[in-house]
Amino acid sequence: MAEPFSVRVTVRGYETDTQGHLNQAVYLNYVEHARWMLLQAAGITQAALLGRGVGPVALETNIRHLRELLAGDEVDVTCVFEWGDGRTFRFRQEVRKTDGTVSAEVTSVVGLLDLERRRLVADPREIFKELATDVGLLGL
């Protein structure tokens, strides 16, 4: 299997807590950044989603913290789509140090919100296929 899409991030000092660890809330910023970079690499911009009248919404997120991260650490944040049937899909992500140590595992349940109806679209895959220039990055 090919390596998952990933983005490199350097932990900044102002993102750490009083113990010197990466603040737990910042992990959410890192994984969100990786998701948007994956969409961009697949040819999907935020403007294109808005133009189509939809926007991604996180419905559930679980973070499993495994190893600490400190200011100056470089990490690769991976991002993989997992498709099922219906209105939602999952992102499976890891935050890994460059030596391969997994610092966190993140799983999110996500949907595409119809911005006019305020309901999840029935099949988000179809919209992603319509907008993407590289559906392979999306696991489609």
Side-chain angles (χ1 to χ4, degrees):
M1 181 176 156
E3 283 292 309
F5 180 87
S6 71
V7 173
R8 180 148 299 168
V9 178
T10 301
V11 176
R12 295 163 289 253
Y14 62 82
E15 296 173 324
T16 60
D17 60 21
T18 57
Q19 289 88 287
H21 304 135
L22 181 64
N23 180 281
Q24 53 87 24
V26 178
Y27 285 86
L28 295 173
N29 290 333
Y30 287 8
V31 297
E32 183 76 8
H33 174 65
R35 292 175 199 166
W36 281 108
M37 295 305 293
L38 171 56
L39 289 175
Q40 181 179 327
I44 300 173
T45 64
Q46 190 172 20
L49 289 165
L50 291 172
R52 183 62 172 74
V54 298
V57 291
L59 303 169
E60 176 184 322
T61 300
N62 182 60
I63 303 173
R64 184 168 179 231
H65 298 278
L66 301 169
R67 297 284 184 270
E68 67 182 358
L69 290 175
L70 306 173
D73 284 344
E74 285 192 327
V75 295
D76 293 314
V77 184
T78 66
C79 189
V80 174
F81 276 84
E82 285 187 353
W83 298 99
D85 296 327
R87 301 175 187 275
T88 63
F89 53 94
R90 292 184 186 275
F91 282 116
R92 295 244 181 235
Q93 297 180 265
E94 289 183 342
V95 180
R96 288 191 298 223
K97 289 184 179 183
T98 55
D99 68 3
T101 302
V102 178
S103 295
E105 298 170 338
V106 182
T107 305
S108 301
V109 177
V110 182
L112 278 182
L113 184 69
D114 180 313
L115 298 173
E116 185 177 317
R117 294 181 46 238
R118 309 309 288 179
R119 301 274 185 238
L120 293 178
V121 299
D123 189 354
R125 289 174 294 203
E126 292 307 311
I127 292 175
F128 282 123
K129 285 178 187 176
E130 173 188 322
L131 297 175
T133 56
D134 184 351
V135 295
L137 286 172
L138 306 176
L140 296 171

